[in-house]
Amino acid sequence: MTSQDVILGMLMKRGLTGYEIKHLLETIFSYFYNASYGTIYPTLSKMEKEGLITKESVLQEGRPNKNIFTITDLGKTHFKTYMNSPVLADEYKSDRMIRLYFGEFVEREVIISSLELDLARANEELERLEANYKLWQPTMSPTQEICIQIGIENTATLIQTLTNGLNRLKHIAEEKGDE
Amino acid sequence: MTSQDVILGMLMKRGLTGYEIKHLLETIFSYFYNASYGTIYPTLSKMEKEGLITKESVLQEGRPNKNIFTITDLGKTHFKTYMNSPVLADEYKSDRMIRLYFGEFVEREVIISSLELDLARANEELERLEANYKLWQPTMSPTQEICIQIGIENTATLIQTLTNGLNRLKHIAEEKGDE
DNA sequence: CATGGCATGTAACCTGTTACATGATTCC
DNA sequence: GGAATCATGTAACAGGTTACATGCCATG
């Protein structure tokens, strides 16, 4: 799974610009993938050279011209090859979790306020995912729905676990304060 | 958060060899971090040159010699700087999720059997995490416990969501079969 | 006698990010 | 007047993986 595979998948439905691809990544894909412009544009150029996609330049008034990329038959073949290749293990690197894991080496308050920030962010993320779900549900395929449900339910669980963890940590902090 | 920060954190408790670091990553850290030997050994060399850690070679009989690395005061300072730096966003790239998202472009059975594999793996992972929890709980710090609880609860939630999703997909498949 | 555990290390490669460069228009 | 949106692109760099190289011992 490289950015190329993900972009090909996005183009299976309709032609897109690099800018639109980035926007999609930030909204619907953000839960399980992302890429910067520094990846997207060079990848699109490379794919065009290889004949996986074609470029159509559209002149616009009052705003920059744009390049709409459309998948070719060769591109579709490549995408299907990807979809039938062995599934790779998830890549997950969490700075939040690392710091929590090593929490014993910093002051308790640092950890507590960090967890509180995580909790606030998780709540925002949950709202965002639920808003997305309501917005796009009518046009989503069944498997897309499962994707967003996984995102929503995992975030809801995270909120629960963080809340429980915070309560326990605060409890320990109070006990220590009583000594 | 680079591998250096994680390794420094691991060495805060006791000296370790590269091999032991890899083992720890695969067992307790696997839920939120990992690194290959190709990262670990060069990073350890670099850290030694920079004076963050010291190397002690231990000759062994019947098995290869090993290098035990110990954190220095400079290393501890670096670790604390990391722990007080701004938290980075999680990096999560999931091939599983990408394929599920684009599931409409392949045969339903491919998706169903893929989800069934995911479910089986999630069950194994849950068992592994729970076994770890039982094994290490007595020696875990409160924040370490929260880490493993997050892992366990998220995995349990994933199992639920996958089960629900599978049921719905099979239902749709049956309806289609009735046409 | 083969597999897995113990143990270290390098070189070639891949993939991606960050920061920079440009510039008009619309909304607050 | 400043920020956000639309829109594309590059160069330098960072950070990592994979495959290879080595080799003994214990277990089945």
Side-chain angles (χ1 to χ4, degrees), chain A residues 17-175:
Chain A
T17 66
Y19 189 79
E20 285 172 322
I21 288 170
K22 175 68 173 156
H23 185 71
L24 286 173
L25 287 172
E26 279 171 358
T27 51
I28 28 177
F29 287 79
S30 71
Y31 184 66
F32 47 88
Y33 204 83
N34 65 43
S36 64
Y37 286 124
T39 299
I40 296 167
Y41 287 116
T43 302
L44 285 170
S45 303
K46 201 195 92 201
M47 286 160 79
E48 198 205 349
K49 276 179 203 144
E50 290 171 359
L52 306 178
I53 57 177
T54 54
K55 177 164 82 175
E56 184 201 351
S57 293
V58 177
L59 306 175
Q60 297 188 118
E61 280 171 38
R63 54 178 63 184
N65 299 333
K66 63 182 178 182
N67 303 322
I68 300 176
F69 294 92
T70 308
I71 194 166
T72 62
D73 285 342
L74 183 60
K76 287 180 188 171
T77 306
H78 271 242
F79 178 66
K80 275 165 197 167
T81 303
Y82 157 66
M83 287 293 278
N84 287 293
S85 66
V87 180
L88 304 174
D90 283 10
E91 279 169 46
Y92 181 47
K93 294 200 173 175
S94 176
D95 195 25
R96 271 193 315 111
M97 294 286 281
I98 293 287
R99 284 162 200 254
L100 184 57
Y101 190 87
F102 294 130
E104 64 189 297
F105 304 115
V106 295
E107 300 75 49
R108 186 84 59 183
E109 311 91 62
V110 174
I111 294 299
I112 288 176
S113 59
S114 165
L115 285 179
E116 277 167 348
L117 186 62
D118 289 344
L119 186 56
R121 289 215 182 124
N123 274 308
E124 279 170 33
E125 176 72 357
L126 183 60
E127 273 177 43
R128 199 182 66 78
L129 289 173
E130 281 174 342
N132 276 182
Y133 191 26
K134 273 185 195 156
L135 197 62
W136 286 309
Q137 200 193 357
T139 59
M140 280 179 135
S141 73
T143 57
Q144 284 173 357
E145 241 184 289
I146 296 172
C147 280
I148 202 157
Q149 284 168 354
I150 290 174
I152 288 172
E153 285 163 35
N154 276 1
T155 307
T157 303
L158 178 63
I159 289 169
Q160 259 312 303
T161 317
L162 285 176
T163 306
N164 295 343
L166 264 169
N167 287 339
R168 278 201 308 131
L169 279 183
K170 283 177 182 168
H171 211 247
I172 294 167
E174 276 166 30
E175 278 169 23

Side-chain angles (χ1 to χ4, degrees), chain B residues 119-155:
Chain B
L119 186 56
R121 289 215 183 123
N123 275 308
E124 278 170 32
E125 176 71 357
L126 183 61
E127 270 177 45
R128 200 182 65 80
L129 289 172
E130 280 174 342
N132 276 181
Y133 191 25
K134 271 184 197 156
L135 198 61
W136 286 310
Q137 201 194 358
T139 59
M140 279 178 135
S141 74
T143 57
Q144 283 173 358
E145 240 183 291
I146 296 172
C147 281
I148 201 158
Q149 283 167 355
I150 289 175
I152 288 171
E153 285 164 33
N154 277 359
T155 308

Side-chain angles (χ1 to χ4, degrees), chain B residues 50-69:
Chain B
E50 290 170 358
L52 306 178
I53 56 177
T54 53
K55 177 164 83 173
E56 185 202 350
S57 293
V58 178
L59 306 175
Q60 296 187 119
E61 280 171 41
R63 51 178 64 185
N65 299 332
K66 61 183 178 182
N67 302 322
I68 300 176
F69 293 93

